Amino acid sequence: MSLPKCPLCNSEYTYEDGEMYVCPECAHEWSKNAPAAAAEEVKVWRDANGNVLQDGDSVTVIKDLKIKGSSAVVKVGTKVKNIRLIDGDHDIDCKIDGIGAMQLKSEFVKKA
């Protein structure tokens, strides 16, 4: 018998816990009796390595990022604390020490 994939992150590593299914990757739990179509559509943000990101996480920049309209650069290895996830092309809202508030793409960071 195969278990259903997680409706949020599509992970195939779900397991049963009593009357619930649990996803070990995103910690989502849902009832065995819930219809699959009734799963809520929730956006899952992932870093460059595929790790799930959440509000308040710390991330590390994996590529030099030029700041548009400035000569400043966010260097590789810069640690960004307490991120906020938003919808849009640049999906991380944060403050970087020495630079200020800015938005980053999740594909250029890894979870710290």
Side-chain angles (χ1 to χ4, degrees):
M1 180 172 114
S2 66
L3 298 174
K5 291 184 177 184
C6 176
L8 293 184
C9 69
N10 207 27
S11 171
E12 59 188 33
Y13 301 111
T14 58
Y15 63 91
E16 294 180 66
D17 185 19
E19 292 297 316
M20 304 289 283
Y21 289 123
V22 180
C23 174
E25 291 188 18
C26 70
H28 178 64
E29 298 181 4
W30 69 100
S31 172
K32 290 181 182 179
N33 302 328
E40 63 226 30
E41 288 293 323
V42 175
K43 174 141 169 91
V44 176
W45 290 268
R46 295 186 180 270
D47 68 0
N49 296 330
N51 297 318
V52 176
L53 295 172
Q54 297 178 348
D55 284 342
D57 281 345
S58 293
V59 295
T60 304
V61 178
I62 62 169
K63 176 182 175 182
D64 280 347
L65 301 173
K66 295 179 184 177
I67 299 173
K68 194 172 190 177
S70 171
S71 61
V73 175
V74 179
K75 296 285 188 180
V76 171
T78 301
K79 189 168 184 178
V80 181
K81 299 177 186 175
N82 198 21
I83 64 170
R84 201 178 95 217
L85 300 170
I86 58 174
D87 286 328
D89 186 33
H90 291 73
D91 44 13
I92 296 175
D93 194 21
C94 61
K95 288 184 182 175
I96 298 177
D97 292 338
I99 296 175
M102 65 182 312
Q103 293 180 349
L104 302 172
K105 290 186 178 184
S106 59
E107 64 195 65
F108 297 125
V109 299
K110 67 178 181 179
K111 196 168 187 175

